[in-house]
Amino acid sequence: MRKGFYTKLAASNIKKNSRTYIPYIITCIITAAMFYIINSLSNNESIKKLYGGETILITLGYGTYVTAIFAFIFLFYTNSFLMKRRKKEFGVLNILGMEKRHISKVLLLENIYIAFITMLLGIIIGMVLDKAMFLILTKMLGAEHSPGFYISKEALIHTVILFGIIFFCIYLNSLRQIHLSKPIELLNGGNVGEKEPKTKWFMAILGVICLAVGYYISVTSKNPVESLNSFLIAVILVIAGTYLIFIAGSIAFLKSLRKNKRYYYKTKHFTAVSGMIYRMKQNAVGLANICILSTMVLIMISSTSSLVVGMNDLVKTRYPNDITIYSEDIDNEKNIETIKNVKQFLNDSKSDVKNEIEYSYIDFSVLKNKNQFYYPENTNKMNMSDLDKINTVFMISLDDYNSINSENETLNENEVLIYSRRNEYEYSTIQLFDTKYNVKKNIKQAINNGRFFSNNLTESIQIVVKDRSVLDKINNYLNENFKEDPKEEQDLKEEPAFKYLYGFDINGSEDSKKSLYDDIKKLLKESNFIGDSECGQIQREGIKGLYGGMFFLGIFLGSIFTMATILIIYYKQISEGYEDKERFRIMQNVGMSHAEVKRSIHSQIMTVFFMPLIMAGIHVAFAFPIVKQILMMLNLTNTRLYIICTIVCFVAFTIIYAVIYSLTAKIYYHIVSTRD
């Protein structure tokens, strides 16, 4: 053939099919740009210099892998829409004399054109937006940013390699479809699925079982560690159940509508329901994809936004004082002397100290069965089911409690006050090892202790006892119990000792607080202090880095998945439109008006296309318990905040979904109502 014929034909094919190719090319470019951006950020040394920067880079690194996997699957999937639409075109060319090897050459050139445009524009846009994303990320973290234009060689190379592999695989898949199909099959390729599918009750029932088990795992999750382990299993079951429900259940649903004569034998319902039944196999997979992507967007953005919005309250709860010193053994003479030296240092440096708090306490972990708290006989025989029984017990004397809270509580012999963190303690007595105590009342306000609030993996309980002698008794019992089996691996037990907390706030700037903390930390180190210390301001920056990075990644991946949802809906509407065009033309020829056609379209989309959104809402509702438990591991215990963020995200996503529906319905109507 004439030189340049194939190159011109390939370019002409893309131009001729612009309605389907332009959205596909734009999507490829955006996906390439986003992969470049997140890959560049994950290798950005400037982020590493930020406080908590290494955590952010690890988070972004995970995001890079997720984006790469998504790009491969999603572009492969969307290309199938293009191939389905063009099979008839390839069949005509084959019948007219063009051999399959020539068609393959045209496809190769088309893929080269698209790959070149994608990589060139994707990387350029990625480079331009990379700096903007870096500025947004540093702004979210409250850090200063460095000016200048940064180009990541690693991100550039990785983008070229990844998308080169993706387009090569897409080309091989296209070759497979062309070479394995006969000309007549290519001509009818766009109409595959016209045979009415059977109602597959086994698949429908299996789908219901998968969803039920996945929901059950989520609803019954009570422990954060157990929830984290079972989360992946629940996700896999729900995804499998979603596909089975849409593939088998949707057909059963539409056939039930067809059996309802009062509903089915109406013009707008008759054409919509009958048309959807005949191609529900292809539609079901697309609708399931939309449902799963929508669920991922809602869960990611609602959970990460909850962390960011509730970050200040979280930090204040976990780090209630500007500076806190924890002594692991208050009876240690060096520790006693060191605490005195710290107080003297604060006095000598004329630091404006306020809200001082100090007290001694003991804490330990035990198993709980109703109102009994005890040590297991053998910790090596514990399993995941025992996690729900583990309780962290924090004990303090009544004198310290009254001093801290400016109260005047009294306790009789063997009486206690109790604060239970998750659920109010419901028994009138509590048996701690071999001694039973009467619960005078449940106190509403916890004793100020950041480490107590940092333990979100197990239930935590605070107990106020009459005096130090009761604490001595418990402490002696713990020491004796610990020494009974010194060779045993102490998974639950740890050698107990009286501990001491000294916390205070400082009037001054953030820098002055950090500087003072550095001096105190140096003093503790020089004194061989047995314990630890914390600075709320420094820890705040670390938490802001972690949660800010997670929120950025949530928004980033949420945007990609939303784009995927939009494109799937768009291509589904276009492919449906072209397939229904001839059918609706026949309907108009036998008397259907344009208004009736439009009402039928509206009925079809409203009946089927809002099913994924409804199902996504159900998924999010059932995922709430297990996601809440996982968020507790990140110190988010404000359930009300998470509920509000989830509702706001769902409403916002519903609005976006409705806009997409409105626009694609117009495109669909334009296709089916336009005469050639």
Side-chain angles (χ1 to χ4, degrees):
M1 292 200 179
R2 194 173 52 185
K3 187 178 180 180
F5 171 77
Y6 293 115
T7 56
K8 291 179 181 178
L9 181 61
S12 175
N13 287 343
I14 295 174
K15 185 177 180 181
K16 192 168 53 177
N17 293 282
S18 59
R19 184 189 288 272
T20 51
Y21 265 105
I22 288 177
Y24 174 66
I25 293 172
I26 291 173
T27 303
C28 291
I29 292 170
I30 294 173
T31 307
M34 287 188 156
F35 177 79
Y36 174 89
I37 290 168
I38 196 165
N39 197 282
S40 175
L41 290 174
S42 67
N43 291 290
N44 194 322
E45 290 296 323
S46 297
I47 295 177
K48 194 173 184 179
K49 296 175 183 177
L50 302 174
Y51 192 89
E54 291 187 1
T55 303
I56 300 171
L57 291 180
I58 292 172
T59 305
L60 293 173
Y62 287 133
T64 301
Y65 289 115
V66 173
T67 307
I69 295 170
F70 168 80
F72 190 92
I73 296 173
F74 179 59
L75 296 184
F76 213 89
Y77 177 76
T78 51
N79 183 261
S80 66
F81 284 101
L82 300 179
M83 284 302 298
K84 182 181 178 182
R85 177 75 189 124
R86 296 189 62 196
K87 277 185 177 180
K88 185 175 181 179
E89 174 188 340
F90 295 139
V92 171
L93 291 174
N94 196 206
I95 288 174
L96 291 176
M98 183 177 281
E99 297 179 21
K100 289 184 178 180
R101 62 188 179 91
H102 297 138
I103 296 175
S104 301
K105 189 173 182 179
V106 173
L107 279 173
L108 175 62
L109 290 169
E110 289 177 5
N111 272 278
I112 290 173
Y113 290 155
I114 296 172
F116 177 76
I117 294 169
T118 295
M119 293 183 201
L120 179 64
L121 296 182
I123 290 173
I124 291 173
I125 293 172
M127 288 178 178
V128 173
L129 295 180
D130 181 36
K131 182 63 179 179
M133 292 296 106
F134 175 72
L135 295 178
I136 291 171
L137 181 58
T138 53
K139 183 72 175 177
M140 288 171 60
L141 302 178
E144 294 183 359
H145 54 80
S146 57
F149 189 72
Y150 168 76
I151 296 177
S152 172
K153 292 181 181 179
E154 293 90 348
L156 196 152
I157 293 170
H158 292 162
T159 304
V160 171
I161 292 174
L162 174 66
F163 283 84
I165 293 172
I166 290 174
F167 283 110
F168 180 68
C169 291
I170 287 174
Y171 172 65
L172 291 180
N173 185 55
S174 301
L175 285 186
R176 180 188 63 81
Q177 294 183 60
I178 296 297
H179 283 275
L180 294 180
S181 301
K182 297 177 182 178
I184 192 65
E185 292 175 343
L186 291 173
L187 283 173
N188 296 323
N191 296 320
V192 173
E194 289 293 335
K195 186 178 179 180
E196 179 176 336
K198 296 179 180 179
T199 304
K200 301 174 182 178
W201 287 110
F202 175 76
M203 289 179 64
I205 294 170
L206 183 62
V208 171
I209 292 173
C210 286
L211 281 183
V213 174
Y215 289 163
Y216 177 80
I217 291 173
S218 176
V219 171
T220 56
S221 62
K222 296 179 180 179
N223 183 277
V225 175
E226 188 178 356
S227 297
L228 191 62
N229 291 330
S230 58
F231 180 73
L232 182 60
I233 298 173
V235 168
I236 293 172
L237 286 171
V238 169
I239 289 175
T242 301
Y243 278 107
L244 291 171
I245 287 292
F246 273 98
I247 290 171
S250 57
I251 294 171
F253 171 70
L254 288 168
K255 285 190 174 182
S256 67
L257 291 180
R258 189 172 65 178
K259 289 180 180 179
N260 186 338
K261 295 181 179 181
R262 294 183 61 185
Y263 177 88
Y264 183 64
Y265 288 109
K266 293 182 180 179
T267 306
K268 63 179 182 178
H269 296 155
F270 179 83
T271 53
V273 174
S274 61
M276 289 305 300
I277 287 176
Y278 276 89
R279 283 187 309 279
M280 202 56 220
K281 184 178 180 180
Q282 287 85 351
N283 283 334
V285 174
L287 294 174
N289 289 332
I290 294 169
C291 175
I292 292 166
L293 287 170
S294 301
T295 305
M296 291 169 68
V297 170
L298 290 167
I299 291 177
M300 276 194 305
I301 296 181
S302 61
S303 57
T304 54
S305 61
S306 299
L307 290 171
V308 171
V309 173
M311 184 169 57
N312 289 333
D313 290 339
L314 183 152
V315 172
K316 190 61 181 174
T317 301
R318 174 61 185 87
Y319 305 100
N321 296 109
D322 290 336
I323 297 175
T324 306
I325 299 171
Y326 296 93
S327 170
E328 294 299 326
D329 186 359
I330 192 54
D331 294 327
N332 183 289
E333 292 184 4
K334 283 186 178 180
N335 278 16
I336 295 172
E337 187 64 29
T338 302
I339 294 295
K340 289 180 180 179
N341 292 338
V342 169
K343 292 180 179 180
Q344 186 62 47
F345 170 76
L346 292 172
N347 186 56
D348 294 343
S349 63
K350 296 181 180 180
S351 301
D352 190 2
V353 177
K354 61 179 183 178
N355 301 328
E356 281 185 290
I357 180 173
E358 56 182 320
Y359 57 85
S360 57
Y361 65 97
I362 57 174
D363 62 349
F364 49 90
S365 295
V366 291
L367 296 184
K368 176 190 174 187
N369 181 21
K370 296 182 180 179
N371 69 331
Q372 297 181 353
F373 292 75
Y374 61 95
Y375 266 150
E377 293 182 2
N378 187 350
T379 57
N380 292 323
K381 294 182 179 180
M382 292 178 61
N383 52 48
M384 290 298 294
S385 63
D386 292 318
L387 287 173
D388 290 336
K389 300 178 182 178
I390 296 177
N391 271 239
T392 299
V393 179
F394 173 97
M395 301 186 72
I396 187 174
S397 69
L398 180 63
D399 288 341
D400 281 337
Y401 173 79
N402 285 333
S403 176
I404 294 166
N405 296 288
S406 300
E407 293 186 14
N408 193 29
E409 286 284 353
T410 59
L411 289 173
N412 295 322
E413 204 67 35
N414 284 352
E415 269 192 340
V416 295
L417 304 176
I418 286 183
Y419 170 83
S420 183
R421 187 176 179 191
R422 293 185 186 170
N423 303 300
E424 185 171 297
Y425 188 77
E426 58 185 354
Y427 302 101
S428 60
T429 62
I430 178 171
Q431 182 164 335
L432 196 57
F433 305 122
D434 57 354
T435 306
K436 183 177 287 188
Y437 299 90
N438 295 317
V439 179
K440 182 178 180 180
K441 70 175 182 179
N442 282 277
I443 54 179
K444 303 299 181 183
Q445 184 66 37
I447 300 159
N448 188 332
N449 189 296
R451 287 187 172 176
F452 174 79
F453 288 106
S454 69
N455 174 35
N456 292 303
L457 302 182
T458 62
E459 174 66 281
S460 302
I461 187 170
Q462 292 184 349
I463 302 176
V464 180
V465 297
K466 184 179 180 182
D467 50 39
R468 171 73 185 249
S469 65
V470 180
L471 294 179
D472 287 332
K473 179 183 177 182
I474 297 294
N475 195 54
N476 291 335
Y477 178 90
L478 293 171
N479 281 314
E480 291 172 6
N481 185 277
F482 178 82
K483 291 174 182 176
E484 281 179 2
D485 192 6
K487 295 181 180 180
E488 184 182 320
E489 290 186 22
Q490 303 298 323
D491 295 329
L492 182 64
K493 308 171 187 178
E494 57 181 36
E495 188 169 7
F498 271 102
K499 300 177 183 178
Y500 173 83
L501 178 147
Y502 176 53
F504 54 90
D505 295 331
I506 299 290
N507 278 327
S509 64
E510 294 179 358
D511 290 337
S512 65
K513 293 177 183 179
K514 292 179 187 177
S515 177
L516 181 65
Y517 176 69
D518 289 337
D519 292 336
I520 292 175
K521 197 172 182 181
K522 183 179 179 182
L523 176 60
L524 295 176
K525 185 177 181 181
E526 291 173 349
S527 303
N528 295 319
F529 180 74
I530 303 173
D532 198 9
S533 60
E534 296 173 340
C535 176
Q537 185 57 40
I538 293 175
Q539 299 300 329
R540 178 191 295 271
E541 292 176 359
I543 290 176
K544 186 180 287 187
L546 173 62
Y547 293 173
M550 292 178 67
F551 180 63
F552 178 84
L553 186 61
I555 295 295
F556 190 90
L557 295 178
S559 300
I560 295 178
F561 295 152
T562 301
M563 177 192 70
T565 303
I566 293 171
L567 196 69
I568 291 174
I569 294 175
Y570 175 81
Y571 275 127
K572 278 191 61 58
Q573 292 289 58
I574 287 180
S575 60
E576 286 293 310
Y578 282 117
E579 291 171 1
D580 287 346
K581 186 172 184 177
E582 187 61 31
R583 181 179 297 107
F584 280 109
R585 180 178 295 175
I586 293 171
M587 291 294 181
Q588 288 183 29
N589 289 338
V590 297
M592 250 182 114
S593 66
H594 281 273
E596 289 172 329
V597 170
K598 195 166 185 176
R599 282 197 300 271
S600 178
I601 294 168
H602 180 74
S603 175
Q604 175 178 336
I605 299 174
M606 287 294 291
T607 302
V608 178
F609 273 77
F610 273 84
M611 287 171 61
L613 183 63
I614 295 170
M615 183 66 82
I618 296 171
H619 286 348
V620 170
F622 276 98
F624 177 81
I626 197 168
V627 174
K628 183 186 73 171
Q629 294 291 336
I630 293 172
L631 289 175
M632 288 182 69
M633 297 182 69
L634 297 169
N635 291 310
L636 180 70
T637 57
N638 190 338
T639 303
R640 183 171 176 271
L641 174 63
Y642 178 48
I643 292 173
I644 292 172
C645 289
T646 301
I647 293 172
V648 170
C649 289
F650 186 78
V651 171
F653 189 80
T654 301
I655 293 171
I656 295 171
Y657 198 95
V659 171
I660 297 167
Y661 153 72
S662 178
L663 294 175
T664 54
K666 290 178 182 179
I667 296 170
Y668 180 101
Y669 175 71
H670 178 74
I671 292 172
V672 299
S673 60
T674 302
R675 295 182 179 275
D676 294 331

